Amino acid sequence: MKRIDLNCDMGELPEAIADGTQEALMRSITSVNIACGGHAGDEQTMKTTIEQALRWNVAIGAHPGYPDRENFGRLELKMSPEAVAESVCEQVHALAEVAAMCGAKLVHVKPHGALYNQAVKNRELAEAIANGVAKALSLHSTLKNAIDCHPERSEGSASLSSPTRGLCKDVILVGLAGSPMLDVFREAGFAVAAEAFADRRYEPDGTLRSRKYDDALIRNPEEAAWQALGIAERGAVIASDGSEVFVDAQTLCIHGDTPGAPEIAATVARTLREAGVVVCSLSPTST
C-alpha cells in the first residue's frame, strides 16, 4: 500500500493566520513546517501555528531559512558554513522551545527557500544545516534535562553538550528527493525524508524550476493533484521539457503562500485518498 506525507510551509504570513487560510490548510495536510524567525515568523506566530497543528493532529516541524525577511529567504546569501549552522541552530531551538511550552514535539526540520535550494547541490551547506540542527537538539535536550533535574537552575546555567546521534535519530531532516543533501543528512546521523512538490514544476535534472519563470508554480488544483498522484503511485513527474523524471519521495509539499493553497491541498489530499494512497505524517521509523 502506498503511503505519503503532505507537508506545508506555515507561520510565514500573519494575514493567513488572521483570515483563517492557514487553519483551512491544516484540514488537508499531515505535517507543517513552521517559520522560526529567519525569513519569517516570531514567537507568537510559532505558538499560534503549533496550537493549530495540535488541534488538527498535524506533525510539527521547523522551517529555518536565511535570516533575510526583506526577501523572504528566497535570495542566496553569502554566509560562512559556521554562520549558517549558528543561524539554523537559533531558529530550530526557538521553535523547539515554543513547541515544548505547548506540549508538542518537534518531528522534522525542512530548510526554506534559497537555503534549501543551495544545499541541494552544495555539500558544505548541507553539512552546515545538519550541524545547526544537531546543535539545536543538543541545546534543547541539555536545557530540558538541567531544568528537570535541577529546577532551581536558570536557563543560562545549562551548558551545551556535544550533539549525539541518539538525539539526531529523533528528528527527521527533509530534503529534495534524489539529491546529495539527503546523503549528507544521513551521514550526520539523521533519519531523512525525500521530498517532492505537488505545486512546483521540475527541470529534467530533477531540480525545481526557478521561480523567475512564470510557469514555476502550479496553481490549478487538479493539475497539482495529478502531479502528486503520479509521484505517489509511479514515482515520476513530467518535467518542463515534457520528459519524465524519476522521483522517489516520502513527503509532498504544498506551499501555503501559493494562491488558492487550501483548495490545492484539499484536492491533492482527496485525490490521493480516492486512489488508495494512505496520507499520513512522517515518523523516524518509517523513513
Side-chain angles (χ1 to χ4, degrees):
M1 184 175 291
K2 302 289 186 180
R3 305 167 67 90
I4 202 150
D5 170 59
L6 288 184
N7 79 76
C8 186
D9 306 337
M10 292 191 186
E12 298 174 324
L13 305 172
E15 59 271 25
I17 297 175
D19 67 12
T21 298
Q22 179 166 285
E23 189 147 21
L25 276 161
M26 295 275 187
R27 301 185 181 101
S28 303
I29 64 170
T30 49
S31 294
V32 59
N33 321 307
I34 304 174
C36 35
H39 65 286
D42 55 31
E43 185 174 349
Q44 185 56 53
T45 59
M46 285 188 267
K47 181 174 183 292
T48 300
T49 305
I50 289 168
E51 290 171 345
Q52 291 177 345
L54 289 172
R55 278 199 294 274
W56 290 97
N57 195 30
V58 173
I60 292 163
H63 196 39
Y66 278 129
D68 179 19
R69 289 173 177 263
E70 182 179 355
N71 296 297
F72 201 62
R74 285 183 171 151
L75 291 185
E76 296 182 4
L77 297 186
K78 294 185 182 299
M79 294 176 64
S80 68
E82 294 76 19
V84 169
E86 189 59 35
S87 178
V88 168
C89 173
E90 290 174 1
Q91 293 177 59
V92 173
H93 182 248
L95 185 75
E97 292 297 285
V98 177
M101 288 189 292
C102 295
K105 180 182 178 182
L106 190 67
V107 174
H108 65 279
V109 177
K110 171 188 163 181
H112 167 81
L115 181 62
Y116 180 108
N117 292 332
Q118 281 186 277
V120 164
K121 296 182 178 180
N122 186 323
R123 182 181 180 87
E124 191 174 37
L125 193 57
E127 288 174 345
I129 292 169
N131 290 338
V133 175
K135 183 178 178 182
L137 297 178
S138 181
L139 176 61
H140 180 66
S141 176
T142 302
L143 177 57
K144 181 178 183 300
N145 290 338
I147 292 173
D148 287 346
C149 298
H150 305 282
E152 73 281 359
R153 290 174 62 176
S154 66
E155 287 190 14
S157 62
S159 61
L160 177 63
S161 65
S162 299
T164 68
R165 286 184 175 265
L167 285 172
C168 294
K169 289 178 181 177
D170 291 334
V171 172
I172 301 162
L173 284 193
V174 178
L176 187 66
S179 71
M181 71 191 297
L182 295 175
D183 296 327
V184 174
F185 293 162
R186 286 191 192 95
E187 290 166 8
F190 286 95
V192 303
E195 180 182 43
F197 292 78
D199 60 358
R200 290 290 303 275
R201 298 197 193 281
Y202 280 76
E203 296 292 7
D205 66 353
T207 59
L208 298 179
R209 190 158 173 80
S210 171
R211 284 177 179 265
K212 70 182 181 181
Y213 297 109
D214 292 337
D215 64 346
L217 279 176
I218 298 174
R219 297 177 172 85
N220 183 290
E222 297 296 334
E223 188 178 354
W226 178 82
Q227 177 158 297
L229 187 59
I231 293 168
E233 287 193 327
R234 299 185 298 108
V237 64
I238 304 301
S240 58
D241 67 350
S243 62
E244 191 170 69
V245 178
F246 175 71
V247 180
D248 182 16
Q250 291 83 53
T251 183
L252 284 171
C253 177
I254 298 166
H255 288 88
D257 62 340
T258 298
E263 184 182 356
I264 293 172
T267 303
V268 168
R270 183 180 66 251
T271 300
L272 289 170
R273 290 190 171 107
E274 287 177 351
V277 178
V278 176
V279 181
C280 57
S281 59
L282 299 167
S283 69
T285 56
S286 64
T287 56

